[in-house]
Amino acid sequence: MLTIAFGSWRDALFLGILVSNIVIGSFQDIRSKRALDRLAALVAPEAVVIREGADRPVPVENVVVGDLVRLAAGDQVVADGTVLSADGLALDEANLTGESEPAVRSAGEPVWSGSFAVEGAAVFEATAVGPESRAEKLTATARAFRHPRSPLERANDRLLIWLVGLAVPLAIGITVSVLTRAGTSTTHVQAITAGIVNLVPEGLIVLISVTAAVSAFKMARRGVLAQQLNAIESLASVDLVLTDKTGTLTEPTLRVVAVMAAEGQDEQSVARELSSYAASAPSRNLTLEAIANAQLADVDARQVVAQVPVSSGRRWSALDLGDERLVLGAPERFAEADPVLAERARQEASTGRRVLALGRSQAVLPAAGSEPQFPADIQTLGLVVLAERLRDNAAETVAFFAEQGVELKVLSGDAPATVGAIARDAGVPGSAPALDGEALPTETADLREAISSAPAVGRISPEGKRAVVTSLAGAGRYVGMVGDGVNDVPALKESRLAIAQGSGAQMARSVADLVLVRDDFAVVPAMVAEGRQILRNIQRVAQLFITKSVFTAVMGLAVAIPTGVFPLLPRQFTIASTVTIGIPAFLLALAPSSGPWRPERFLQSVARFAIPAGIGIGIGIIAGYLLARYGFDLNLKLSRTVATGIVVVCGLAVVLRLEPGNLRRRLAVGGLCALMLLLFALALTVPFLRNFYELSKPTGQAVAAWAIGTALGVGGMLGAVRLQARGKP
């Protein structure tokens, strides 16, 4: 505003750059938000309410007071309410109370929005919804513990602190020097504006946001919902990915391939009991759905007197059907009752199949809320064998991670032999066999060592998954976790980057940074590549911006403070910055790139280049300007033209050096630089533009001063490149 009031509106053109950056950034943000909103609608949580005697899925916002809401394991509690009936209901209320242990709820007890059903099923009556319930606080409470800033964001925070530390004393020095010398208010404002405004990389932060928004938009078109804008960039920093097996490496559905009867039983009766169990269960997981869909026998659902709900922690469930009690669970639980059948189960599991045992018991099932014990009188009836199929692109995805130096480990509740077989089939590296999650070391160092050589861990509990993530993160690993179920939530919360499947539990999707809406794990390599491109491009662009800040500081120290005159006017800096930074930086930030990326060394890499290059270019500008002004005794306007020309050529030389890619991309960048040089040439030759930017037609002496200053500046920049190359690890 001071520039417009006391100087010339032409010297306030830098405001146009800021405004255009904001407009472009807002456009990209809006476009990305629309794409993300469309994806978010696909995975938005729904509630199942009972209306007119039938279950009806409705959006959460359509739940009203008095609705009867049905809950199953993994569902979000969408309203405050009172439980009317419950079958082993256990809620995760950590988001509300901080208590990590599940809270058991039975009929007549309250439930609160913001919690999730971990086990069992229930029906509750909604008593408070919308602003009057805890649902409005769900997002804040579910994510208050997550989403640390990405490496790039932390690096840019430190960069801004350093720049402010540089700019403040320099700005004070320039202001004092200018105001204590004779001159008009116009010349004072021009010198102060040119010296201060260009110390700040005004477009860098906006450009980072634009780049992230564009990447989120591109990923949205692939079916990936970025719930945190920095998530894709953060994925590029991940050096270890822990993933569930089912739904990630394998198809999310199962199929029954065999039913095996125990000694004294026949397959037909075992098939009938399995079908009866699946048809009668109040809530079904993927295994029970597969058994029901297999139609092993023509049976009807029976009334359930009591149940022990499915739980990944205890690895068995049970139904009291009145005249008999059936138990379904991991074959290891039945090993003592039928060692022969347990051996057959191990053989089947070693081929990568999922095996469950079915048994009968006379023991009374415990009441809801108490911890059940596996029946001691179990009679084994038989086995059901279910097959999983590797996704078509699973091996290719695993190979990509290996090529990129990203370790992959599989964590699953299935038998270690089953998980190990799937991991081997997918090509997951690892010399040791799959670990047994129930026998993992308790000491952090020992756990970390055991995990490092094993490709997979089976029979691992939700808390075991979290312990693995914590131990690896404690060793400085940047851990990403991929999961879809309630049992994955503790590990998703603990990881630096959480990725959930779109078809997964609402609870898993709620805490995730990225949601694979189409359940396609194969898009993760593209996200990694996109994130690494962001890091590379922002690093290049940051070098460009910081180089300008450094040579502006050099000019301020060497010329503006001693003389009270800045070598360039603000409008001249505007045209120079536009052709050397504004347009090239925007294109470079979004262009394909290749080469190294080191987010943990972001500041060092930027500083190692920008400081020497900025000092070298600053020396060249000062030398050319002083030679023209005092050596050749040229007027101030012509001397500033010389300085502007040196800034343009040296700046474009920096742009050329920032593209280390293949020949085709280097030629493209060379063409861009040639076009930018042509634009500046037009500003020098077209009378209107020359007068507008207050430039002069170059004379022979001006050209000589320009050539000497440019040679010094480019030479200093090339020296910085060699210094950077020498300093690389």
Side-chain angles (χ1 to χ4, degrees):
M1 295 301 104
L2 287 174
T3 306
I4 296 175
F6 295 100
S8 169
W9 65 270
R10 291 177 296 175
D11 288 318
L13 290 177
F14 64 89
L15 293 175
I17 297 176
L18 292 175
V19 172
S20 61
N21 278 334
I22 293 172
V23 170
I24 293 171
S26 299
F27 170 76
Q28 295 291 355
D29 284 343
I30 291 170
R31 186 177 72 157
S32 300
K33 184 179 184 302
R34 287 177 177 173
L36 296 176
D37 285 346
R38 288 193 293 269
L39 279 184
L42 298 178
V43 294
E46 288 186 329
V48 177
V49 300
I50 304 173
R51 292 178 181 171
E52 299 177 355
D55 290 353
R56 301 181 185 277
V58 300
V60 170
E61 60 270 18
N62 289 352
V63 176
V64 298
V65 173
D67 267 339
L68 301 184
V69 184
R70 192 179 296 279
L71 275 182
D75 285 350
Q76 170 187 321
V77 180
V78 298
D80 298 346
T82 302
V83 177
L84 301 182
S85 63
D87 292 308
L89 178 66
L91 299 177
D92 181 341
E93 297 181 342
N95 294 331
L96 305 175
T97 65
E99 177 57 52
S100 60
E101 292 298 320
V104 177
R105 292 285 184 267
S106 55
E109 295 186 313
V111 293
W112 305 103
S113 60
S115 59
F116 292 85
V118 178
E119 296 178 5
V123 174
F124 72 90
E125 180 181 358
T127 57
V129 298
E132 297 182 3
S133 75
R134 302 192 186 189
E136 293 294 322
K137 303 176 182 178
L138 176 61
T139 300
T141 55
R143 297 193 179 128
F145 51 83
R146 277 203 47 75
H147 308 311
R149 293 177 68 76
S150 69
L152 181 60
E153 289 175 323
R154 295 198 304 270
N156 276 296
D157 290 343
R158 292 193 297 270
L159 178 61
L160 288 176
I161 291 173
W162 280 102
L163 286 176
V164 169
L166 168 70
V168 170
L170 194 57
I172 294 174
I174 291 174
T175 302
V176 171
S177 175
V178 170
L179 294 180
T180 55
R181 299 175 188 276
T184 65
S185 59
T186 298
T187 58
H188 287 168
V189 171
Q190 286 176 333
I192 294 171
T193 302
I196 295 176
V197 169
N198 291 284
L199 289 172
V200 181
E202 68 275 2
L204 179 59
I205 305 303
V206 174
L207 206 55
I208 291 174
S209 298
V210 170
T211 304
V214 170
S215 295
F217 173 75
K218 289 161 69 175
M219 287 298 102
R221 298 176 66 180
R222 296 176 181 265
V224 179
L225 172 63
Q227 300 195 124
Q228 293 293 314
L229 198 57
N230 67 3
I232 297 174
E233 173 258 309
S234 187
L235 180 60
S237 304
V238 170
D239 56 18
L240 189 148
V241 173
L242 304 175
T243 178
D244 191 18
K245 172 176 65 67
T246 304
T248 304
L249 296 179
T250 62
E251 297 289 351
T253 56
L254 299 170
R255 59 188 178 89
V256 175
V257 295
V259 174
M260 300 178 182
E263 185 177 357
Q265 306 290 331
D266 63 86
E267 291 185 5
Q268 187 174 359
S269 63
V270 174
R272 186 169 51 253
E273 296 285 33
L274 281 167
S275 297
S276 182
Y277 192 106
S280 305
S283 60
R284 295 177 183 172
N285 56 12
L286 289 175
T287 301
L288 292 180
E289 287 288 355
I291 295 172
N293 293 336
Q295 298 181 344
L296 301 174
D298 186 11
V299 298
D300 294 324
R302 298 157 66 182
Q303 182 178 1
V304 177
V305 178
Q307 73 160 339
V308 175
V310 175
S311 168
S312 59
R314 70 175 70 95
R315 298 187 292 108
W316 64 277
S317 61
L319 294 181
D320 185 343
L321 300 176
D323 57 344
E324 65 176 345
R325 299 172 183 88
L326 298 178
V327 180
L328 185 68
E332 296 93 317
R333 290 286 192 179
F334 298 72
E336 292 184 6
D338 194 331
V340 175
L341 203 65
E343 179 59 30
R344 294 179 66 183
R346 282 192 290 271
Q347 292 174 359
E348 290 291 338
S350 66
T351 66
R353 292 178 173 178
R354 176 178 295 186
V355 185
L356 291 174
L358 180 70
R360 184 183 288 122
S361 170
Q362 299 301 319
V364 177
L365 298 185
S370 58
E371 181 59 30
Q373 301 296 320
F374 190 78
D377 66 338
I378 194 73
Q379 175 194 3
T380 306
L381 301 178
L383 301 175
V384 58
V385 182
L386 302 103
E388 293 180 295
R389 184 171 68 88
L390 275 178
R391 288 182 177 272
D392 294 336
N393 44 31
E396 182 181 346
T397 304
V398 171
F400 170 85
F401 281 119
E403 292 171 2
Q404 297 296 316
V406 179
E407 287 190 65
L408 190 68
K409 306 287 183 183
V410 184
L411 306 181
S412 176
D414 285 347
T418 303
V419 183
I422 291 293
R424 286 193 301 273
D425 291 345
V428 177
S431 58
L435 300 175
D436 186 344
E438 294 184 332
L440 290 176
T442 55
E443 292 295 328
T444 301
D446 296 336
L447 175 60
R448 190 182 305 137
E449 183 178 354
I451 293 294
S452 64
S453 59
V457 183
R459 292 292 182 228
I460 187 169
S461 66
E463 290 305 315
K465 291 183 179 182
R466 180 166 66 177
V468 169
V469 173
T470 302
S471 67
L472 294 170
R477 305 300 296 272
Y478 202 105
V479 181
M481 175 69 194
V482 184
D484 61 354
V486 174
N487 60 324
D488 297 315
V489 169
L492 289 170
K493 289 180 178 180
E494 197 69 24
S495 62
R496 290 295 300 272
L497 183 75
I499 304 174
Q501 302 280 11
S503 62
Q506 292 178 5
M507 188 177 183
R509 298 199 306 266
S510 174
V511 301
D513 302 295
L514 294 168
V515 179
L516 308 182
V517 177
R518 298 170 188 162
D519 292 340
D520 187 3
F521 187 55
V523 303
V524 175
M527 291 193 295
V528 172
E530 185 69 29
R532 292 185 174 182
Q533 178 174 301
I534 292 175
L535 293 174
R536 273 193 300 267
N537 289 354
I538 294 302
Q539 185 167 293
R540 292 190 303 174
V541 169
Q543 289 176 344
L544 195 57
F545 276 99
I546 304 309
T547 298
K548 185 192 82 165
S549 297
V550 172
F551 71 65
T552 299
V554 171
M555 286 190 289
L557 287 170
V559 178
I561 291 179
T563 67
V565 177
F566 204 82
L568 283 83
L569 291 174
R571 72 193 75 170
Q572 293 164 348
F573 242 133
T574 297
I575 182 62
S577 296
T578 299
V579 299
T580 61
I581 297 178
I583 298 174
F586 184 80
L587 296 177
L588 287 175
L590 303 178
S593 62
S594 60
W597 57 276
R598 293 187 177 89
E600 72 277 8
R601 298 187 180 93
F602 179 84
L603 280 182
Q604 295 93 319
S605 179
V606 170
R608 191 184 300 126
F609 175 86
I611 294 177
I615 292 174
I617 292 173
I619 291 173
I621 297 169
I622 294 167
Y625 171 79
L626 294 178
L627 180 61
R629 186 80 177 98
Y630 301 106
F632 295 140
D633 201 25
L634 303 180
N635 60 43
L636 182 59
K637 183 177 181 180
L638 192 52
S639 299
R640 281 175 166 163
T641 301
V642 169
T644 305
I646 297 172
V647 170
V648 169
V649 176
C650 291
L652 293 177
V654 172
V655 173
L656 282 172
R657 294 300 307 178
L658 291 179
E659 178 50 67
N662 57 36
L663 180 61
R664 183 176 179 180
R665 284 203 294 268
R666 297 193 71 173
L667 289 175
V669 173
L672 171 65
C673 290
L675 180 60
M676 296 299 99
L677 194 59
L678 177 61
L679 290 178
F680 179 68
L682 289 176
L684 277 178
T685 55
V686 176
F688 168 76
L689 294 176
R690 188 168 62 240
N691 293 332
F692 182 88
Y693 289 109
E694 205 164 319
L695 299 171
S696 292
K697 186 178 294 186
T699 63
Q701 291 178 319
V703 170
W706 167 82
I708 293 172
T710 298
L712 289 173
V714 172
M717 185 272 297
L718 293 176
V721 172
R722 286 193 292 271
L723 179 65
Q724 185 187 42
R726 190 181 305 119
K728 286 183 179 179

